[in-house]
Amino acid sequence: MAKIKISQNPTFKAKVAIPRVGADPVSVEFEFKYMDRLALAAHFDKWNAARDEHAKKVQEDGLSWQEATGAEIALQVGQLKDIVASWAFDEKLSDESLTALVTTCIGAPQAVLEAYQSAYQPARLGN
């Protein structure tokens, strides 16, 4: 009988369809950091608190569109840094390249987060 370990691998890979303006999405392989359920819940709490704080700041401080967008980009870069271990882009994964991705590809953060979250969905049984 094959031996199967309970513990998960520290990383896993998934393809992400990165949206491109005026073109079809490009499929890029990402390597994600695995988190157990408690760690994942803690990250969701952190992300939700940061998003709430961002929304409050925008409303109370009357930020310009550019200031609000800059703050949202920083928030999304932080989210991706939390989960991405590596990627198959030509550019090496770094704070600068993550910022470039989030700044130039509006739908990229959502696509990456959705691919990450979908990996945690229970596998569908049957056809």
Side-chain angles (χ1 to χ4, degrees):
M1 178 180 282
K3 292 189 178 209
I4 300 172
K5 63 181 182 172
I6 292 173
S7 63
Q8 299 285 330
N9 293 326
T11 61
F12 62 91
K13 294 181 180 182
K15 296 277 186 175
V16 180
I18 301 295
R20 305 292 292 178
V21 175
D24 292 332
V26 176
S27 182
V28 178
E29 186 172 79
F30 278 70
E31 184 174 7
F32 292 112
K33 300 171 189 173
Y34 168 77
M35 291 181 220
D36 66 24
R37 292 173 67 184
L38 294 173
L40 193 59
H43 272 80
F44 286 144
D45 285 344
K46 179 178 95 171
W47 296 344
N48 287 336
R51 185 159 305 281
D52 291 347
E53 182 63 30
H54 170 68
K56 180 180 175 186
K57 188 173 182 178
V58 167
Q59 191 173 37
E60 290 178 359
D61 295 348
L63 298 179
S64 69
W65 277 101
Q66 187 172 10
E67 293 167 327
T69 301
E72 184 174 20
I73 288 169
L75 175 79
Q76 292 170 333
V77 167
Q79 289 176 311
L80 297 187
K81 280 177 65 172
D82 285 345
I83 63 170
V84 176
S86 67
W87 61 19
F89 283 113
D90 291 339
E91 294 82 5
K92 181 181 176 189
L93 179 65
S94 67
D95 288 354
E96 293 79 22
S97 60
L98 274 170
T99 301
L101 175 68
V102 172
T103 303
T104 61
C105 300
I106 294 170
Q110 181 179 353
V112 173
L113 289 168
E114 285 177 359
Y116 183 76
Q117 290 173 346
S118 70
Y120 282 85
Q121 306 266 331
R124 290 175 40 184
L125 301 176
N127 292 330

